[in-house]
Amino acid sequence: MSAVLAYVGLGSNQNEPRRQIASALDALGQIRDTRLLRRSSFYSSRPWGMLEQPDFLNAVAELETTLGAAELLDELLMVERRAGRQRDSTRWGPRIIDLDLLLYGSLQIREKGIEVPHPHILERSFVVLPLAELAYDLIVPGRGSIADAVATFDPESCQRLAEGP
């Protein structure tokens, strides 16, 4: 299989979020048949859905992989489990680490357990803004452009952070 560019959203608001995101980025670079090419800056965002929780730290990673989309998603879920994430029925709650497969090349996939592009990719500033940093001119298959989505967000909803500890 030829290499595909994939984008992964990362988020954390528990157990030292900056350390959790940094550790997850390291783990992404260790996934078999996959290279971590670039990562966005870190962004702070208000919680989505369940509002009574700490703010989130978010980023987006650009990967080059020869894994299939489902295989890559399985690897992402393994990274989450190794970090201590236990998935349950709670939606939009606190997370040690959350890894979402946002895009897998230009493919549109809708199968049991996987939907790519991510169904809410253009609705969330904490995805769009870091993704725009890496691929501003990107067209999300079947959805629209990152550039157009950037203009729809309140800049206060997601703020780019200075790098460092």
Side-chain angles (χ1 to χ4, degrees):
M1 174 180 206
S2 60
V4 172
L5 275 184
Y7 292 90
V8 174
L10 300 94
S12 175
N13 72 344
Q14 300 289 297
N15 299 1
E16 299 178 59
R18 191 175 288 270
R19 183 176 58 80
Q20 295 297 337
I21 299 267
S23 179
L25 286 164
D26 288 343
L28 292 178
Q30 312 271 329
I31 294 174
R32 64 185 170 87
D33 302 322
T34 301
R35 287 186 329 143
L36 172 62
L37 298 178
R38 299 184 296 158
R39 63 128 176 125
S40 72
S41 301
F42 292 168
Y43 289 75
S44 176
S45 65
R46 294 181 215 136
W48 176 273
M50 187 184 296
L51 302 180
E52 296 300 317
Q53 60 180 317
D55 285 354
F56 275 83
L57 188 67
N58 299 98
V60 168
E62 180 182 70
L63 306 177
E64 180 182 71
T65 187
T66 57
L67 297 176
E71 290 176 293
L72 180 57
L73 180 58
D74 287 344
E75 293 288 335
L76 299 179
L77 295 175
M78 193 177 309
V79 169
E80 286 184 351
R81 285 191 299 275
R82 278 194 228 118
R85 167 113 188 244
Q86 296 179 12
R87 287 185 172 260
D88 58 26
S89 61
T90 305
R91 293 183 55 102
W92 306 309
R95 301 275 192 266
I96 289 174
I97 192 69
D98 187 32
L99 302 176
D100 289 326
L101 181 55
L102 302 173
L103 293 160
Y104 182 83
S106 60
L107 293 182
Q108 295 182 63
I109 303 167
R110 191 171 189 158
E111 299 170 0
K112 187 176 194 278
I114 185 169
E115 186 172 351
V116 179
H118 189 282
H120 304 291
I121 189 170
L122 296 181
E123 299 168 13
R124 298 176 174 169
S125 61
F126 60 85
V127 172
V128 170
L129 298 177
L131 185 54
E133 186 181 323
L134 299 177
Y136 187 79
D137 295 326
L138 187 75
I139 302 298
V140 177
R143 307 274 170 86
S145 76
I146 294 298
D148 288 345
V150 166
T152 67
F153 294 109
D154 172 2
E156 298 298 314
S157 68
C158 182
Q159 297 191 341
R160 186 176 178 173
L161 301 177
E163 295 301 317

